[in-house]
Amino acid sequence: MELRGVCCVLLTCLFYTSSADKDFFTSIGQMTDLLYTEKDLVTSLKDYIRAEEDKLEQVKKWAEKLDVLSATATQDPEGFLGHPVNAFKLMKRLNTEWGELESLVLKDMSDGFISNLTIQRQYFPNDDDQTGAAKALMRLQDTYRLDTHTISSGELPGTNKDVAMSPMTVEDCFELGKIAYSDADYYHTELWMEQALKQLDGGEESTVDMVTILDYLSYSIYQQGELERALDYTKRLLKLDSAHQRANGNLKYFEYQLAKQNKVEAEEGQKEKEKREREKREASDKKGRPADYLPERRKYEQLCRGEGIKMTPRRQSRMFCRYSDNNHHPLYVLGPVKQEDEWDRPRIIRYHDILSNSEIEKVKELAKPRLRRATISNPITGVLETAHYRISKSAWLTSYEDPVVDKINQRIEDITGLNVKTAEELQVANYGVGGQYEPHFDFGRKDEPDAFKELGTGNRIATWLIYMSDVPSGGATVFTDVGAAVWPKKGSAVFWYNLFASGEGDYSTRHAACPVLVGNKWVSNKWMHERGQEFRRRCTLNESE
């Protein structure tokens, strides 16, 4: 098989889409396995290339030898064949050796590589993974207000300069634009097609031609109401391809609409002109990301960028760091835990140095093989299901699986004073590309009476969240109602009550996990329930206590 043919097979295999939804993009931890898979494939590909080169070297030596012989023989064919040895060798070459050469040329050196690729491709990401990763980049772009050049060049805030990074190509930018276009998201289509165009204009070589990029770009701009710019890009396209059928049609339509618009403007009085100018400015101000389902999106993203509400000096003066022995608990009298107030209403407390590095690695080791796409409880049906606003994978660890898990559960009980026997199992989560969990409540609201009915342990009274990794950029836990932001610190845990002592839900605990911009975020959490806390946290009749 020719090298060109094998490359075609390679590309076909690389873009093979399995029927299984693997959701690789939702967990950085599991994506690391893909790097080793790709490394193995590269090694296999190099072995194949060496085998092809060895084969071609043999063919080359044979051709060079015969080239010299043929040149000599054809100068005096009769004299050459008059020698019986030359005549014999000619018969032998044509009857035997050329057949051997044919077998060598036809020998397929790719069997080992193709076999390895076939085995490995069952673990490859699919179209959903690629789309998910692309949308994650656009989510990071919006949340952290990054321009396309910053993302394309890889110069993200918090990036480790020692970590290798290959910049995005024209093809990469074009692919992001296409994915946005398929969702009718013309705002991001314009941004990424413009970036692809800039890189092409800058001299970067690409398999994507400028005409195709301009076609997407002009239409996405038109869809956002900018006729003149859309017309300019259409004219530029037609300079490159004057026979482009769609562009010629668009040119006539854009020119007609502009002429119509100009005519109306010419006939308008001063008041109408001022009104139209005002409408244009308003339309320009509104241009941007499509409206979505989350009313607190702006506040959520501000908090993720560290633009949260600052406490007044008076409130700040009531926030302390202290050593806590949890009311003289025997385990912590001589070795109290380090406690820090993160927020006052709701009270959010951080405990430092809760898990050691060895404990963290053990928990990750136990969880990683079982990580599955994180789910949410459907508020209507109560059924667990995946959601686009929760991008992570999680696993549940029981106390009897390993002594480390049992120790962690006991430690949580000793520090909080709450009974963990009725708590949910320890949940371990690893966030993916742009991993996040948008604003939500941990407790079941009144309109969700069956939220935890199957557990039979009442509502979630409190949340214990352990950060098992540092995150160079992004990944904060933010409380959107009150403006609090808690940043990941490896080995620390944060704790808050979801319910007042009366049993009523504390709606100020609505919180979110911000998208991870750079890094690999691991957390584990424990949700304590009402049952078993009757004598540990006594009820009151005051709904706000």
Side-chain angles (χ1 to χ4, degrees), residues 16-126:
Y16 169 79
T17 302
S18 72
S19 57
D21 185 6
K22 304 179 183 68
D23 289 335
F24 282 111
F25 75 98
T26 62
S27 167
I28 295 292
Q30 286 194 329
M31 282 176 67
T32 56
D33 294 338
L34 296 177
L35 288 176
Y36 293 105
T37 297
E38 189 170 51
K39 184 179 179 182
D40 179 62
L41 285 173
V42 170
T43 301
S44 181
L45 180 59
K46 285 181 175 179
D47 290 340
Y48 159 67
I49 291 170
R50 277 193 292 271
E52 286 285 3
E53 287 174 343
D54 290 343
K55 183 176 84 171
L56 288 172
E57 187 61 30
Q58 292 180 58
V59 174
K60 184 180 177 182
K61 287 179 180 178
W62 170 262
E64 288 173 349
K65 183 181 74 172
L66 285 187
D67 187 40
V68 173
L69 182 63
S70 298
T72 304
T74 52
Q75 287 179 3
D76 182 11
E78 291 187 2
F80 180 81
L81 291 174
H83 196 294
V85 173
N86 287 341
F88 164 72
K89 292 185 73 173
L90 176 63
M91 297 300 106
K92 177 176 174 290
R93 281 198 305 276
L94 292 171
N95 184 53
T96 304
E97 294 178 16
W98 275 99
E100 291 172 354
L101 180 64
E102 180 184 19
S103 298
L104 175 62
V105 171
L106 292 174
K107 185 177 181 181
D108 191 349
M109 312 303 290
S110 67
D111 287 348
F113 169 68
I114 294 299
S115 175
N116 187 24
L117 185 60
T118 302
I119 293 168
Q120 297 284 13
R121 72 181 180 186
Q122 63 184 305
Y123 306 113
F124 280 10
N126 57 26

Side-chain angles (χ1 to χ4, degrees), residues 142-291:
D142 296 337
T143 303
Y144 298 105
R145 291 185 173 173
L146 303 171
D147 58 51
T148 52
H149 172 73
T150 299
I151 298 175
S152 179
S153 64
E155 298 169 357
L156 300 176
T159 302
N160 186 341
K161 302 300 181 184
D162 296 328
V163 175
M165 188 274 163
S166 58
M168 292 176 67
T169 63
V170 171
E171 287 85 356
D172 295 332
C173 298
F174 178 71
E175 183 63 27
L176 278 177
K178 275 207 313 180
I179 288 170
Y181 183 85
S182 66
D183 279 351
D185 177 1
Y186 301 114
Y187 168 70
H188 287 107
T189 304
E190 177 190 347
L191 292 179
W192 284 103
M193 290 301 173
E194 277 191 334
Q195 181 61 33
L197 188 62
K198 284 177 187 175
Q199 292 181 205
L200 263 185
D201 287 340
E204 183 179 322
E205 293 184 1
S206 172
T207 56
V208 181
D209 64 275
M210 193 175 289
V211 167
T212 304
I213 293 173
L214 288 168
D215 193 18
Y216 276 100
L217 187 53
S218 62
Y219 187 73
S220 63
I221 290 171
Y222 159 69
Q223 283 290 340
Q224 294 176 87
E226 295 189 63
L227 267 175
E228 290 183 16
R229 286 185 63 219
L231 181 60
D232 289 341
Y233 279 117
T234 302
K235 287 178 178 177
R236 183 175 172 184
L237 187 161
L238 288 169
K239 284 181 181 178
L240 299 172
D241 182 3
S242 59
H244 196 285
Q245 188 174 353
R246 183 167 49 252
N248 276 301
N250 288 345
L251 178 69
K252 292 177 183 177
Y253 178 73
F254 294 161
E255 287 177 336
Y256 168 74
Q257 289 293 335
L258 266 177
K260 185 178 175 182
Q261 182 177 299
N262 292 335
K263 184 180 178 183
V264 170
E265 289 177 1
E267 293 172 354
E268 284 176 344
Q270 187 61 32
K271 287 186 178 180
E272 286 81 2
K273 283 183 180 179
E274 289 175 358
K275 181 183 176 183
R276 181 176 288 276
E277 287 300 320
R278 188 167 59 252
E279 289 174 349
K280 279 185 178 180
R281 286 195 299 272
E282 289 174 357
S284 179
D285 291 340
K286 289 179 182 178
K287 182 188 171 183
R289 296 158 58 185

